[in-house]
Amino acid sequence: LEQALGTALQAERSRNFKPTLPGGLTVGLSSGTTGRRGVFLVSPRERQRWAGAMLARLLSGASVARLLNPLAPPLRVAFLLRANSNLYTTVQSRRLRFVFCDLLQPWGEQLQQLNALQPDLLIAPASVLQVLARAQQQAALRIRPSQVISVAEVLEPDDAALIRQVWHVPAAQVYQCTEGFLGYTCEAGHLHLNEEWLHIETAWLDAERTRFQPIVTDFSRSAQAFVRYRLDDVLHLAPGPCDCGRVSRRLVSIEGRSDDLLWLQDNDPRATAAGVCGRAAPGNGAGPG
Ligand SMILES: [Zn+2]
């Protein structure tokens, strides 16, 4: 465990995310918003499987056609995040150009890099997508992605609307964290739990059984046992089946970490403190609603 933690922390410090542990194991750190840092291990085989599943879920029909057409230019993917991982670069191939943009680098460089790359897929945390959309409005950014995908943070409705307005594409969401690939937006535009892969139990937070914390078991993992792992996230379940025909459950929204919630008098965690209060704070631009 010490060796794994050392490798992961060294990668964060040096911004070189390539080193692996003996046996090719990739190490990841959970975001640790509560101060607890988890260490996650992924084997090369699990990495390949993850990359395949991610591409299968994420790429639109047009993007797959482009990927499979040897005469078309490679599909360009820009991925903006705080930390890269061997996990993400596994998708790199002759037909897919994957470029990681380190969010700790100066902002001007990010815009330059994106303008030069002209990504077909733009993948970034919701808050970064929002800033990029504003840069596009001001013509500092000039890209025309055919798919925009929000990761790592909750995508708020006003950010989704801004993305649609600026790039004329709907924003999809990937619910992925170090703990695994937990959910994705389907063709009908709804966020599904990745129950094809994971066994997800519900720790209900309200009497109406609409909000819960997921308890995740992943039977496909062998490098590290992943059994009944309770996440801090609070998920809002959508009723009824989805138009896309999948039987996996779908979500109205990911309401953030349980630490972000305001518990109101009726014990209904309806208000997300970080989201609602953050936006309503003076000087924060957006304002409530
Ligand atoms: Zn669906």
Side-chain angles (χ1 to χ4, degrees):
L1 179 67
E2 258 172 41
Q3 192 186 357
L5 196 58
T7 303
L9 288 173
Q10 174 62 23
E12 290 235 340
R13 272 196 299 270
S14 67
R15 316 308 293 160
N16 173 12
F17 298 96
K18 290 205 177 99
T20 55
L21 288 173
L25 290 181
T26 291
V27 193
L29 290 177
S30 70
S31 43
T33 47
T34 51
R36 284 177 299 153
R37 289 211 121 174
V39 176
F40 295 92
L41 300 174
V42 184
S43 74
R45 193 187 153 91
E46 287 166 357
R47 227 168 72 195
Q48 298 289 348
R49 200 162 162 270
W50 175 89
M54 198 53 108
L55 290 177
R57 299 270 182 269
L58 281 193
L59 295 183
S60 66
S63 295
V64 172
R66 164 94 173 267
L67 197 67
L68 296 178
N69 178 0
L71 301 176
L75 200 66
R76 295 178 297 260
V77 179
F79 188 67
L80 292 87
L81 210 63
R82 195 184 55 82
N84 197 5
S85 163
N86 288 316
L87 193 60
Y88 309 140
T89 47
T90 309
V91 297
Q92 182 86 261
S93 77
R94 237 171 354 138
R95 299 292 312 135
L96 193 146
R97 188 161 165 225
F98 179 93
V99 176
F100 170 70
C101 307
D102 190 337
L103 283 180
L104 297 188
Q105 298 302 314
W107 184 240
E109 283 178 26
Q110 315 276 359
L111 295 181
Q112 258 182 8
Q113 201 176 0
L114 288 172
N115 282 330
L117 177 69
Q118 288 296 317
D120 302 296
L121 265 74
L122 179 64
I123 308 175
S127 59
V128 176
L129 289 176
Q130 191 230 56
V131 178
L132 289 174
R134 301 218 181 276
Q136 179 98 18
Q137 281 179 323
Q138 292 154 6
L141 182 66
R142 295 171 300 278
I143 58 173
R144 291 172 56 213
S146 57
Q147 286 188 256
V148 177
I149 297 160
S150 158
V151 290
E153 289 173 1
V154 176
L155 178 69
E156 302 289 347
D158 47 356
D159 290 341
L162 178 68
I163 288 165
R164 188 184 274 274
Q165 184 199 331
V166 168
W167 287 302
H168 312 291
V169 290
Q173 277 194 86
V174 168
Y175 179 24
Q176 152 82 33
C177 47
T178 345
E179 292 88 339
F181 176 21
L182 297 167
Y184 57 94
T185 304
C186 73
E187 306 81 18
H190 295 286
L191 185 62
H192 283 263
L193 288 173
N194 186 15
E195 291 183 293
E196 294 94 333
W197 262 35
L198 306 171
H199 177 57
I200 300 176
E201 294 168 85
T202 43
W204 296 110
L205 295 169
D206 56 356
E208 293 79 28
R209 299 197 155 200
T210 54
R211 286 170 177 80
F212 67 97
Q213 284 183 280
I215 302 171
V216 179
T217 301
D218 187 344
F219 294 106
S220 71
R221 302 259 295 248
S222 54
Q224 183 181 26
F226 210 83
V227 181
R228 302 207 75 219
Y229 185 89
R230 183 170 178 151
L231 298 180
D232 281 339
D233 297 345
V234 173
L235 308 181
H236 185 180
L237 197 65
C242 184
D243 291 340
C244 74
R246 285 183 176 80
V247 293
S248 55
R249 287 173 287 185
R250 62 199 173 107
L251 303 175
V252 176
S253 58
I254 303 162
E255 300 196 335
R257 302 261 162 180
S258 59
D259 300 7
D260 295 345
L261 290 188
L262 263 186
W263 290 79
L264 301 178
Q265 255 180 347
D266 59 359
N267 212 26
D268 178 1
R270 190 158 296 156
T272 53
V276 177
C277 301
R279 274 153 200 278
N284 201 3

